Amino acid sequence: MNKKLCGLIAAICIACGFSASTLALPRSELVPGGVAVLPLHVPKDAPAPAVYFEKHRVMVLKNAGRWYAIAGIPLSAKPGRQHLIVQRGKAREKLPFAIRPKKYSTQRLEVPENMVQPSPEELARIGQEKPLIDAAFAQWTEQEEVITNFFAPTEGTMSSSFGLRRVFNGEPRNPHSGMDIAAPQGTNVASPAPGKVIETGDYFFNGNTVFVDHGQGLVSMFCHLNDITVQKGQTLDAGEILGHVGKTGRATGPHLHWSLSLNNARINPRLFVKIAPKLSQK
C-alpha cells in the first residue's frame, strides 16, 4: 500500500466520519472463528449494559439507535446452543444464540525443523514471550465508539485464509488464527482502523510484530514484519503505516499475517473488512 493510497483511505475514513452510530456493524457469522452480532433488549436511551461471553467482556455498540453485542466466537467453540450474559445494574439475563458447525480446509507446509520442534533454549524463549502475547490479546479499553469498518492493511494476495487446519512438516498444529497476505518484501503495512500500539516485539514464531488496540477488546496483531516503524503507546490513525511486509519468524516467504481478536477470541478478519484495496485471493 503506497503513501498515496494510505492517504486516500485516511481521507475516506474522515469523510465518512467513522462514527459507530452511522457505520455498519461487522458481518455476523455464527460459526467457530466468527462473530455474533446480537441486538440487545435495552431501551435505546438507556446506557450500554455490560455483556460477557465465557467470562470475557464483550463489545457493545449503538447502531441506528439500538444497542448490539458483538462477540467473537473462538475457533475452539463447539457447535450448539450458547449464550451471552447481559448485566444491567444488579439484573443479569442470558441472551441465547446457536453456533453452527464449519469445516475449514487443511494446509500442509514445509518449514525449518526448529519451527516445529524448537530446541530447549527456543522453548524457553517461547515461554517468556507467551505472557506478553496473551496480555496484548486480553487488552480491554473502555471506549464509547469503536470503528468496525476496516480496510485490508496491505495490498497483495490472500495466500492463506483464516481457520485452515495447519500441518507443518507432516505434524498437525493449531489452526491458522489469522489472514495471510502475500506481498513483496518492503510493502507498506497500515493500521486498518484507528487504534493504539499496545505492544511490539520480535517473537520466535511471529517475527517482528505489532499489536494495535482498537477499543472494547478488539485487537489487531501484525506479524512477520521486515521492520517496525511505530512505538508502544503511539496512537494511530486509520491508514497510518506501522511497518513493512517481511518474512521474519516462522514464514516461508514475504507476507503479512494479520490476526484480529475480539473478547480474546481470534476471529476471521474478513468479517470486519469493508474496504479492501487490491486484495485478491490466490
Side-chain angles (χ1 to χ4, degrees):
M1 191 180 295
N2 57 39
K3 291 183 179 179
K4 184 177 180 181
L5 182 57
C6 287
L8 175 61
I9 291 170
I12 292 171
C13 298
I14 294 169
C16 291
F18 256 1
S19 166
S21 62
T22 58
L23 291 181
L25 298 174
R27 182 157 53 92
S28 185
E29 189 171 332
L30 301 177
V31 300
V35 175
V37 180
L38 303 174
L40 298 173
H41 304 296
V42 178
K44 63 180 181 180
D45 56 348
V51 179
Y52 300 87
F53 181 44
E54 297 183 342
K55 298 183 180 181
H56 293 286
R57 186 81 178 271
V58 168
M59 177 184 291
V60 175
L61 296 177
K62 182 175 281 189
N63 184 269
R66 186 170 189 179
W67 290 111
Y68 288 83
I70 303 159
I73 304 172
L75 271 167
S76 59
K78 303 297 183 184
R81 300 283 291 178
Q82 292 282 355
H83 64 267
L84 305 182
I85 297 295
V86 182
Q87 184 167 335
R88 296 176 59 204
K90 295 182 180 180
R92 291 166 62 93
E93 63 178 332
K94 293 182 178 180
L95 179 60
F97 66 101
I99 298 176
R100 304 190 309 271
K102 183 178 178 69
K103 184 177 181 180
Y104 291 99
S105 300
T106 298
Q107 183 182 45
R108 301 178 185 277
L109 296 169
E110 296 296 323
V111 297
E113 189 59 29
N114 73 317
M115 289 294 175
V116 181
Q117 298 292 345
S119 68
E121 293 77 15
E122 291 165 337
L123 285 173
R125 175 186 171 185
I126 293 166
Q128 292 173 345
E129 294 170 352
K130 187 177 185 301
L132 298 174
I133 295 171
D134 291 347
F137 278 136
Q139 177 79 16
W140 175 273
T141 299
E142 197 66 46
Q143 192 170 307
E144 182 177 349
E145 293 192 346
V146 178
I147 303 311
T148 56
N149 279 23
F150 282 26
F151 59 83
T154 193
E155 296 179 75
T157 300
M158 192 175 72
S159 56
S160 184
S161 59
F162 175 86
L164 289 174
R165 304 298 166 179
R166 308 297 288 272
V167 179
F168 290 107
N169 299 0
E171 298 190 27
R173 288 296 184 267
N174 291 332
H176 191 225
S177 59
M179 171 194 294
D180 283 355
I181 304 173
Q185 186 160 319
T187 303
N188 288 339
V189 176
S191 183
K196 182 177 181 179
V197 179
I198 53 173
E199 193 63 74
T200 67
D202 177 11
Y203 303 104
F204 180 75
F205 288 119
N206 298 342
N208 290 326
T209 300
V210 173
F211 290 89
V212 176
D213 172 20
H214 304 290
Q216 287 201 46
L218 185 60
V219 177
S220 281
M221 178 179 74
F222 308 94
C223 301
H224 309 306
L225 299 173
N226 188 60
D227 57 8
I228 295 170
T229 60
V230 293
Q231 297 180 341
K232 184 176 179 179
Q234 183 175 339
T235 300
L236 301 179
D237 294 325
E240 190 165 348
I241 296 170
L242 55 84
H244 300 90
V245 171
K247 54 181 180 180
T248 56
R250 184 166 67 184
T252 56
H255 74 281
L256 172 69
H257 172 98
W258 174 31
S259 281
L260 191 59
S261 184
L262 181 60
N263 50 268
N264 207 12
R266 261 47 94 208
I267 59 171
N268 188 348
R270 275 191 173 272
L271 299 176
F272 277 76
V273 173
K274 307 295 183 181
I275 308 169
K278 297 185 180 179
L279 179 62
S280 58
Q281 187 160 1
K282 196 171 184 178

